[in-house]
Amino acid sequence: MVDSIKKYLAEFVATFILVVVGCGTAVSSGGDIVATCLAFGISIVILAYTVGRISGGHANPAVSLAMAVSGKLSWKDFLFYVLAQFAGAMVGSLLLGLFFWGYKATGANSLTNVALIMGEYEITFATALVGMSIEIVLTFLFIFAIFGFTCEEKLSNIAGLLIGIVLTGVHFLGFNLTGVSVNPARAFSALICSLFGGADAGNAFLAMFACVVGPFIGAVLAAFCWMFFFGKKETKAAE
């Protein structure tokens, strides 16, 4: 019981740190792409080698879902991991509001660039579907890489570093599209807090649809794809 509580608290702390460092850098740097992408990547590296030894350092409900679908995490732990992650992200976003004295900018995702690329002047449900598709692909790439790094024993010592590099790359890829979520807890908390700062509720909820639902779908697809290609090999190796 004590070990389980430690794991859940570790996920709370991990997600809190990810949001404060990643979203905080995005706000303080004025949305600088290099600083923001590196901040999220470095955060994951730090978490992997600290709380990672306690809970795995997911700091992301999408990662936890992929692990549960693939049988690497129990569904009970998944439930409490997700609750802890959303709580940690929300506390982190609320704290950023105090740091920057307002919630107009909390590192929230936006579909504005997606709309512009589509030639639209306002964010619509179609925009949200395109944004969700982007988040599905980005999350799939991120989590498929996580499976590869964590399932290879010879990479165990540097898996955290490699995952951080991949997350940095994913952020560079999608930064000027959706702002990159790949993490439902981080997206949800920042968007909710942005409402406190007067953000348009309709746009915020469409962004939430894309950046919360999308990563969950991408996670499931990555898990099933990994099991299809390598599941039998892992089972055989375990036996």
Side-chain angles (χ1 to χ4, degrees):
M1 182 64 179
V2 173
D3 288 340
S4 293
I5 292 175
K6 284 183 179 179
K7 289 192 296 185
Y8 308 147
L9 287 175
E11 284 301 308
F12 174 92
V13 171
T15 316
F16 169 82
I17 292 173
L18 179 70
V19 168
V20 170
V21 175
C23 294
T25 300
V27 177
S28 65
S29 67
D32 181 81
I33 183 172
V34 175
T36 303
C37 295
L38 287 176
F40 276 104
I42 291 171
S43 296
I44 287 297
V45 175
I46 293 171
L47 299 177
Y49 294 108
T50 52
V51 297
R53 68 189 69 186
I54 301 172
S55 65
H58 296 178
N60 185 336
V63 173
S64 298
L65 177 59
M67 295 301 135
V69 170
S70 64
K72 300 177 184 298
L73 182 72
S74 72
W75 287 104
K76 175 189 172 183
D77 279 344
F78 165 72
L79 174 61
F80 285 105
Y81 268 41
V82 169
L83 291 174
Q85 290 156 353
F86 272 94
M90 185 58 70
V91 173
S93 292
L94 290 171
L95 184 63
L96 287 179
L98 296 178
F99 282 175
F100 300 107
W101 206 244
Y103 292 96
K104 290 185 177 180
T106 54
N109 296 94
S110 171
L111 298 177
T112 301
N113 287 343
V114 176
L116 292 174
I117 291 171
M118 294 174 65
E120 298 179 354
Y121 296 99
E122 60 180 19
I123 297 171
T124 64
F125 186 67
T127 312
L129 288 176
V130 173
M132 185 176 72
S133 300
I134 293 169
E135 285 295 327
I136 289 172
V137 173
L138 294 177
T139 308
F140 177 90
L141 293 173
F142 177 50
I143 293 181
F144 197 67
I146 289 176
F147 276 116
F149 297 144
T150 57
C151 291
E152 189 65 48
E153 188 175 349
K154 63 184 179 182
L155 296 177
S156 60
N157 290 331
I158 60 171
L161 175 62
L162 296 175
I163 292 170
I165 292 172
V166 170
L167 184 60
T168 301
V170 164
H171 272 77
F172 273 114
L173 177 60
F175 186 84
N176 289 320
L177 296 172
T178 62
V180 186
S181 164
V182 304
N183 187 329
R186 161 262 190 274
F188 179 83
S189 64
L191 284 164
I192 287 295
C193 285
S194 72
L195 294 175
F196 301 158
D200 181 86
N203 289 345
F205 283 114
L206 284 173
M208 201 177 298
F209 170 73
C211 298
V212 173
V213 177
F216 278 129
I217 296 175
V220 172
L221 292 175
F224 279 122
C225 188
W226 179 266
M227 290 189 292
F228 175 77
F229 286 118
F230 304 105
K232 292 182 180 179
K233 292 182 180 180
E234 287 188 9
T235 301
K236 187 175 181 181
E239 292 175 349

